[in-house]
Amino acid sequence: MPRMAPPESAFDAPKRPDPRAWMWALGLTLVNGTLWVYATNREGAWGQEPAWDQAAYLTMALRMKRAIVEHGLGGLAEAWVYEGARIFAPLVTTASALLMLVFGDSRHVAEAVLPLSTFPLVLGTFRCVERLYDRKSAYATSALVLTF
């Protein structure tokens, strides 16, 4: 008696990735980045003191940058372990430190890491939700993620 293959469920069937996801993620990133530039360049925005958590991230990014300059990658690893344990998200401060290493010490440069990380966030969210559910849910969820 011949064996029959089990029927494929909708979850098992591979879905073709939507090529429009890249354009969607790029569009949302541009809108978010434009709003960020507008908000940071408005009158008095940079004259204000940063909030305590934002100031802690900026301080930690400067410390990590200093560790990279003085001790190279070993200094970065040490700063990640010892300094990064003091904050919630050491990846953000490390990315800020690397940007400041390339573009110079500036609050603008340090805070630019957040708009730059928007694209992988939106695209990753879209792809995960598209894989698990459907494209319509992926569009809605990836737009919703930017409101957090």
Side-chain angles (χ1 to χ4, degrees):
M1 178 171 207
R3 287 184 79 182
M4 296 180 57
E8 289 187 22
S9 68
F11 184 77
D12 293 334
K15 297 177 186 175
R16 277 186 55 157
D18 190 359
R20 294 174 294 181
W22 288 86
M23 297 306 293
W24 174 253
L26 183 62
L28 287 179
T29 301
L30 290 175
V31 168
N32 193 33
T34 302
L35 292 173
W36 179 78
V37 168
Y38 174 75
T40 57
N41 289 328
R42 73 179 194 280
E43 184 68 32
W46 290 101
Q48 299 173 3
E49 294 294 323
W52 69 269
D53 59 339
Q54 186 179 11
Y57 284 132
L58 292 172
T59 303
M60 200 60 58
L62 286 170
R63 288 181 183 169
M64 287 189 170
K65 184 210 171 237
R66 189 178 310 130
I68 296 169
V69 169
E70 293 175 0
H71 305 289
L73 292 178
L76 174 62
E78 186 176 331
W80 179 276
V81 171
Y82 296 109
E83 299 290 338
R86 297 181 187 176
I87 58 173
F88 181 68
L91 183 62
V92 172
T93 56
T94 304
S96 293
L98 293 173
L99 282 176
M100 287 192 296
L101 189 65
V102 174
F103 297 107
D105 293 350
S106 168
R107 184 174 167 188
H108 290 284
V109 173
E111 292 180 354
V113 73
L114 296 177
L116 292 175
S117 63
T118 301
F119 180 75
L121 171 70
V122 172
L123 187 61
T125 302
F126 186 94
R127 293 290 189 210
C128 288
V129 174
E130 179 187 34
R131 175 81 176 156
L132 294 173
Y133 300 102
D134 59 0
R135 287 185 185 144
K136 185 177 178 181
S137 298
Y139 283 115
T141 305
S142 57
L144 182 64
V145 162
L146 287 184
T147 64
F148 296 126

